[in-house]
Amino acid sequence: MIKLPKKIVIYPQKRSRPDYLLCWIPPDFYKDVSIDQEVEKEMESDYPNGIEIELSEDGLQEFGIQLNATPEKLRQAYLELNSEDALPESGMVESAMLEKILEEREAGRSIEEITKPPQPDALSFDITESDPLHLLKEGPEMIGDEEPQELFQRLSVRQVRSPDDQVGGE
């Protein structure tokens, strides 16, 4: 199975357009984002593996989805991480982390402060995990075992070597 995020994530459609963001919602989260049970059942039926939508008011409304923060605020947090080079290599950031970043920014903390690993307590040398934002660079947790690039490469090789492309054909 192709690797897919286990949680709701935000990411750019293309690296060359970091401001055009998409949102991946796994089926386990349909109940959390659907505006009603009818929408949830429709999403489960039509998108059993998850749904990718444009991160915009129109994109959310089209599918009857409501996130915990507005698309514009999520975009603002994402673009700030991008400008500070604090994104994971995949470009995917959990929406819950973006929401936490929004809260922290409203409290006046900088991106550097927010994403810095916790320091050990001087007395106990205990590192707390209460603020997981230092894990941002690792990217979201995934399910599945096949990298999307490997799948696409394998499919393109099969397409090139299809039976219709035989040498010396009729």
Side-chain angles (χ1 to χ4, degrees), residues 134-145:
H134 69 281
L135 301 174
L136 184 65
K137 278 289 198 180
E138 294 176 16
E141 188 177 355
M142 308 290 262
I143 57 172
D145 56 358

Side-chain angles (χ1 to χ4, degrees), residues 73 76 80 99-110 114:
K73 285 191 177 217
Q76 177 186 357
E80 188 169 359
E99 292 165 19
K100 178 76 172 158
I101 287 169
L102 288 168
E103 290 173 19
E104 295 291 326
R105 292 294 286 138
E106 287 176 10
R109 293 182 67 204
S110 71
I114 294 169

Side-chain angles (χ1 to χ4, degrees), residues 72-135:
E72 191 52 43
K73 285 191 177 217
L74 292 169
R75 177 187 298 0
Q76 177 186 357
Y78 186 93
L79 292 175
E80 188 169 359
L81 286 173
N82 186 43
S83 70
E84 296 292 326
D85 197 32
L87 292 173
E89 187 177 322
S90 68
M92 294 181 174
V93 179
E94 290 179 22
S95 65
M97 285 193 163
L98 290 174
E99 292 165 19
K100 178 76 172 158
I101 287 169
L102 288 168
E103 290 173 19
E104 295 291 326
R105 292 294 286 138
E106 287 176 10
R109 293 182 67 204
S110 71
I111 290 293
E112 185 177 286
E113 291 174 309
I114 294 169
T115 58
K116 182 172 76 173
Q119 300 300 310
D121 183 302
L123 299 175
S124 67
F125 298 101
D126 187 29
I127 296 178
T128 65
E129 293 291 325
S130 63
D131 189 359
L133 293 173
H134 69 281
L135 301 174

